[in-house]
Amino acid sequence: MTARRSPADRSPAGRSPSDRSPADRSPARRSSARLSPSRLGPRDVLHVGSAGLRSRPVRVVLSALGIAIGIATMIAVVGISASSKAQLMRQLDQLGTNMLVATPGESMFSGEKVTLPESATGMVGRIEGVEDVGATGLIKESVRRSEKIPEDETGGISVQAATEGLLKTLRGSVASGRWLNAASGRYPAVVLGHVAAARLGIATPGSQVWIGGRYFTVTGILAPLPLAPEIERSALIGWEGAKKHLRFDGHPTSLYERSTDASVAQVRSLMAPTIDPKSPENVLITDPSTALRTKAATEGAFNGLLLGLGGIALLVGGVGVANTMIISVLERRYEIGLRRSMGATRGQIRIQFVTESLMLSALGGLAGIALGSAATGVYAAIGQMPWTVPLWAVGGGFGATLVIGTVAGLYPAVRAARLSPTLALHAA
């Protein structure tokens, strides 16, 4: 007697397995019935990746601190160098690169220092393209606050005669008081460079200083002159006043000229023959702006060393992130096993921990960029410089943190993905 099949023994379609068609029993049909793991969207990846960060905030802060220090060091080094260079270029733009200075050289035959002719200023002023001319003449006297101070205590300050057009040629300005003019230049009046005034302890005009056996009244104090540091350390007296009161011989020792930008090369080639037609080789022509350009070009020469130190700090921070992620894997074995048992694949576990490492490094990178930019801003404000942080430094620093985060999270992620679900749940 044959037993009848109950409805429960039949297939969902009401047919027994023996009644199914060959298409129903094919491998493709059976494989379509298997379960496939769901995919994680970007939002899901960020959610599971930030779960470990949200649950351990103190550890996150300490781990990100190493990354932040490394990035802050690199940003600050590049930013401070860029700010200093921008300040130098600003000074070059303001002061110009069209000034030349003529000074006496040494005779090729006697080896003695030659002198420039008294008419050198007028002759250079007649060269085509020259706009302004000024000159100084060194006087063998010392400047002191009073006659009671020994003569050998000069403080590194020189006494020089100066023409009226000198300040305009240098594109300088008077910080306080007035510059020498046709009237004051004939009397015992003196204008101090700002370094000379500081060394003499004079802050305002009206004081008197002792020069050549008599007192001279300070009528002005100059502002800084980056292109003429020798003027900053000088006590300047009018050309005629120096002849009258200090026995100045009238021969200039430095002749400054300003020309149009287009005629700088031509004027440079004509200055020496104009000043000394017989022996032009005895006249030295220099460009003061070369010093600033060289300084701007060499700005950041030690940046490589400092950036290397910042890179080491960044690597140490990366090791800290890797260590934090390994500890996190060990502490969260139960979570990993539970997720695997609920269908999470090894790839999803790897993505979770790599994402967590990336987010941890990114937080440190953002904090480092903020700290480095703030340090550059403070330095620029103190030095009265333009605040400059190159975008390539910010982008490169943040990119470095992402690379460090990826490398630091690979091993912990692989280790987490290899955990057996059953062993992880049993160990927990």
Side-chain angles (χ1 to χ4, degrees):
M1 185 175 179
T2 304
R4 298 178 62 183
R5 294 179 182 273
S6 64
D9 296 332
R10 296 178 178 271
S11 64
R15 294 178 296 172
S16 64
S18 60
D19 295 335
R20 292 175 185 171
S21 63
D24 294 335
R25 295 194 300 269
S26 65
R29 182 79 176 190
R30 290 196 301 270
S31 63
S32 63
R34 294 176 183 174
L35 296 176
S36 60
S38 60
R39 295 183 178 180
L40 294 178
R43 184 175 180 181
D44 298 324
V45 171
L46 292 177
H47 180 74
V48 297
S50 61
L53 303 183
R54 295 193 303 267
S55 61
R56 298 168 178 83
V58 176
R59 183 183 297 175
V60 168
V61 172
L62 294 178
S63 300
L65 185 60
I67 298 289
I69 292 175
I71 293 299
T73 302
M74 299 174 73
I75 295 295
V77 167
V78 176
I80 290 174
S81 175
S83 298
S84 300
K85 187 173 183 178
Q87 175 70 3
L88 290 174
M89 298 309 295
R90 175 184 291 182
Q91 289 181 353
L92 278 174
D93 291 339
Q94 293 176 348
L95 300 174
T97 58
N98 57 349
M99 186 175 78
L100 298 175
V101 181
T103 55
E106 294 182 354
S107 175
M108 296 180 59
F109 302 101
S110 63
E112 297 179 355
K113 199 161 189 177
V114 299
T115 57
L116 300 181
E118 295 185 48
S119 59
T121 304
M123 292 189 295
V124 170
R126 288 190 288 270
I127 298 176
E128 184 178 359
V130 173
E131 296 179 334
D132 299 299
V133 181
T136 59
L138 185 63
I139 302 173
K140 296 181 180 180
E141 296 287 351
S142 62
V143 54
R144 293 165 287 163
R145 284 301 303 267
S146 71
E147 71 274 17
K148 300 185 182 297
I149 299 177
E151 292 186 7
D152 55 351
E153 295 184 9
T154 61
I157 305 172
S158 59
V159 180
Q160 300 196 72
T163 61
E164 297 178 29
L166 177 65
L167 191 63
K168 183 181 179 182
T169 305
L170 296 177
R171 290 187 182 173
S173 61
V174 179
S176 59
R178 294 184 178 182
W179 174 245
L180 300 168
N181 53 40
S184 61
R186 296 178 178 273
Y187 293 94
V190 61
V191 173
L192 301 176
H194 84 284
V195 175
R199 292 178 180 177
L200 290 171
I202 297 176
T204 57
S207 302
Q208 290 189 324
V209 292
W210 184 263
I211 303 175
R214 66 177 302 165
Y215 279 103
F216 281 67
T217 302
V218 177
T219 61
I221 298 176
L222 298 180
L225 293 169
L227 288 185
E230 68 279 3
I231 302 299
E232 297 178 335
R233 297 164 177 80
S234 299
L236 303 172
I237 301 169
W239 203 264
E240 296 301 324
K243 290 180 178 180
K244 179 179 179 181
H245 303 290
L246 298 176
R247 300 176 300 279
F248 174 54
D249 59 8
H251 291 277
T253 51
S254 294
L255 193 150
Y256 304 83
E257 71 81 30
R258 286 276 185 182
S259 58
T260 60
D261 294 333
S263 59
V264 172
Q266 178 183 355
V267 172
R268 186 185 186 107
S269 64
L270 294 176
M271 276 188 68
T274 301
I275 294 173
D276 192 348
K278 294 182 179 180
S279 303
E281 66 277 1
N282 293 338
V283 181
L284 300 179
I285 308 298
T286 58
D287 180 2
S289 62
T290 302
L292 282 180
R293 286 198 296 267
T294 303
K295 187 176 180 181
T298 58
E299 189 67 39
F302 297 100
N303 281 0
L305 175 62
L306 298 177
L307 287 175
L309 296 176
I312 293 174
L314 186 59
L315 289 177
V316 172
V319 172
V321 170
N323 184 51
T324 298
M325 296 305 301
I326 292 175
I327 295 175
S328 179
V329 169
L330 295 176
E331 291 179 346
R332 297 161 64 185
R333 286 181 297 177
Y334 179 78
E335 174 193 335
I336 297 170
L338 185 61
R339 290 200 63 209
R340 289 296 311 279
S341 65
M342 295 182 66
T345 64
R346 290 184 175 182
Q348 292 173 348
I349 297 298
R350 285 194 294 267
I351 291 176
Q352 173 186 348
F353 282 92
V354 170
T355 302
E356 184 174 331
S357 177
L358 277 172
M359 296 178 71
L360 179 58
S361 299
L363 289 175
L366 292 175
I369 291 172
L371 290 174
S373 300
T376 303
V378 172
Y379 178 85
I382 293 176
Q384 296 181 347
M385 302 177 182
W387 179 63
T388 305
V389 177
L391 291 178
W392 65 264
V394 176
F398 191 70
T401 62
L402 297 183
V403 172
I404 291 292
T406 302
V407 174
L410 283 177
Y411 174 71
V414 172
R415 183 170 180 175
R418 289 179 177 177
L419 285 176
S420 172
T422 55
L423 293 178
L425 292 173
H426 178 72

